Amino acid sequence: AKACKKQGAFQLACKKFTQAGDRVKAMKCLLKSGDTKNITYYANVSRNREIYVLAANYLQSLDWQNDPKTMKDIVLFYTKAKAWEQLSTFFDSYAQMEIDEYR
């Protein structure tokens, strides 16, 4: 799995880390691949707090302001992870964006 990661084969590295039972490293490989659809799917399937937070943090780096599904997924992942402080920070930035937009 480490060899695949070094070679840039992040999807394959994710698969191998998952088979080895290290889901967090597998998720980090997926994050490097940038495949949003697979990241969302993997987070939903893994049902792990740390993975939910990693996925939500990644989704925030995307254009979530113009994509309601991405925003919904961010809220869902933070809620599932019970990461209330990060969720409140997200809502803070969302509210600020709305305020700036309507000035």
Side-chain angles (χ1 to χ4, degrees), residues 42-54:
Y42 194 81
N44 279 317
V45 170
S46 294
R47 302 177 71 189
N48 176 310
R49 275 184 163 173
E50 192 174 349
I51 290 175
Y52 286 140
V53 172
L54 286 170

Side-chain angles (χ1 to χ4, degrees), residues 4 8-17 26 29-30 33-35 38:
C4 293
F10 298 117
Q11 301 280 349
L12 184 58
C14 173
K15 185 175 181 178
K16 294 301 175 189
F17 276 125
C29 285
L30 265 183
S33 77
D35 186 351
N38 277 344

Side-chain angles (χ1 to χ4, degrees), residues 6-87:
K6 283 182 182 178
Q7 293 174 3
F10 298 117
Q11 301 280 349
L12 184 58
C14 173
K15 185 175 181 178
K16 294 301 175 189
F17 276 125
T18 302
Q19 289 171 348
D22 195 343
R23 289 182 171 267
V24 175
K25 280 188 180 175
M27 180 57 147
K28 287 181 180 179
C29 285
L30 265 183
L31 293 172
K32 287 184 180 181
S33 77
D35 186 351
T36 305
K37 185 179 173 189
N38 277 344
I39 290 168
T40 305
Y41 174 79
Y42 194 81
N44 279 317
V45 170
S46 294
R47 302 177 71 189
N48 176 310
R49 275 184 163 173
E50 192 174 349
I51 290 175
Y52 286 140
V53 172
L54 286 170
N57 290 344
Y58 167 77
L59 291 174
Q60 277 195 62
S61 71
L62 303 177
D63 186 23
W64 58 266
Q65 294 93 340
N66 299 318
D67 186 2
K69 185 189 179 329
T70 302
M71 188 177 147
K72 184 181 131 208
D73 286 340
I74 293 169
V75 173
L76 178 74
F77 290 150
Y78 280 142
T79 304
K80 284 183 175 182
K82 296 180 180 165
W84 309 123
E85 196 166 313
Q86 288 159 309
L87 181 60

